[in-house]
Amino acid sequence: MVTVQEIFDMAIHLMDEQRETDGSTVTVDTSEYKYRTISILNTVIPRVFKYSTYYDRDGGQNVPILVNYDYKNPDFDQPVGIDDMLALALLPPYLAAELLSAENDVLSAWFMNQYREALQDVRSNAAGEFEAISTPYGLF
């Protein structure tokens, strides 16, 4: 499973905020981003979980929520809890958009658009379910 660290690394690289010398994503400039990451991911995971293979359409499933006991030292080793394809396609652009929302409106909007396009692709390719249509008042 994909970890929070992998999502964070991808988002930082998309934002071009990594250290130029070695590509490291944990720098003085990204420390504020690190503190906000788990909270941001916890807002989007419940929205995309229904497209995951871990989602039980009959109910009874628990939406995976990331643990964030200490925001100064977040646990980035914990798995995200959704399919790798969903995590890698949807979460980095969403995280990048939210992290940049207070700093750069234009770039934030661009990343949010990338997220929405990827989500639309996921929705378009999601397996459909069929159910009988009830006729409570009879037929015409």
Side-chain angles (χ1 to χ4, degrees), residues 35-108:
Y35 303 148
R36 297 171 45 209
T37 294
I38 290 181
S39 297
I40 292 169
L41 291 177
N42 277 338
T43 64
V44 71
I45 288 173
R47 288 187 259 166
V48 300
F49 181 66
K50 62 184 169 186
Y51 301 109
S52 176
T53 57
Y54 301 117
Y55 180 70
D56 180 11
R57 301 202 188 306
D58 297 327
Q61 74 281 353
N62 291 327
V63 175
I65 298 297
L66 302 170
V67 178
N68 194 17
Y69 294 124
D70 181 12
Y71 81 95
K72 291 271 187 185
N73 297 305
D75 179 13
F76 274 24
D77 293 329
Q78 57 187 316
V80 174
I82 60 176
D83 296 338
D84 289 352
M85 184 275 301
L86 286 176
L88 296 174
L90 298 176
L91 300 184
Y94 184 86
L95 180 59
E98 291 295 326
L99 291 174
L100 287 173
S101 63
E103 299 171 20
N104 187 334
D105 291 341
V106 174
L107 197 53
S108 176

Side-chain angles (χ1 to χ4, degrees), residues 113-134:
N113 189 50
Q114 294 298 310
Y115 161 75
R116 288 184 181 134
E117 286 181 11
L119 181 60
Q120 186 58 41
D121 287 344
V122 169
R123 284 181 180 157
S124 297
N125 295 321
E129 292 184 11
F130 297 96
E131 60 184 56
I133 299 174
S134 64

